[in-house]
Amino acid sequence: MNDKNIMMGTCHNNLGLSYFYSGDIEEALECFERSYHFLQDANYDLLRVLNNISMCYLMLNDFSASYDFILKAKCIPLKGIFESKA
């Protein structure tokens, strides 16, 4: 089940990026939100999707929602190459 969720979440995120860069922010936001639900179930790549959702809200001038999603992303520990070695 996790592999399917990762695949579906990644596909929705990529579709959202296509909409975002073509200027259809509302449709991009819907795709990113679907991506988040799939990836949340798999506990995979949530930082990227939360950032994308935040950017959509920023573009829609909903600064409060944008900030809320950045705060959600901040609470997720970094893994891999982004991990602090301090």
Side-chain angles (χ1 to χ4, degrees):
M1 183 71 160
N2 272 353
D3 288 342
K4 183 177 180 182
N5 285 349
I6 291 170
M7 181 184 68
M8 292 296 292
T10 301
C11 287
H12 282 286
N13 185 64
N14 291 340
L15 184 59
L17 289 171
S18 295
Y19 282 119
F20 184 88
Y21 289 119
S22 69
D24 192 347
I25 306 303
E26 290 87 2
E27 193 66 35
L29 181 57
E30 288 182 26
C31 290
F32 293 141
E33 288 173 341
R34 282 191 295 263
S35 174
Y36 178 74
H37 291 293
F38 281 112
L39 296 177
Q40 186 178 30
D41 289 343
N43 194 26
Y44 180 84
D45 207 19
L46 296 175
L47 287 172
R48 182 183 327 267
V49 177
L50 288 171
N51 180 68
N52 291 342
I53 292 171
S54 175
M55 291 306 299
C56 285
Y57 281 118
L58 184 66
M59 296 296 290
L60 295 170
N61 294 322
D62 188 342
F63 305 113
S64 178
S66 178
Y67 183 72
D68 289 344
F69 278 94
I70 287 297
L71 287 180
K72 280 185 184 183
K74 185 179 178 201
C75 293
I76 297 173
L78 297 174
K79 297 177 185 174
I81 61 170
F82 302 110
E83 189 174 11
S84 174
K85 303 296 183 191

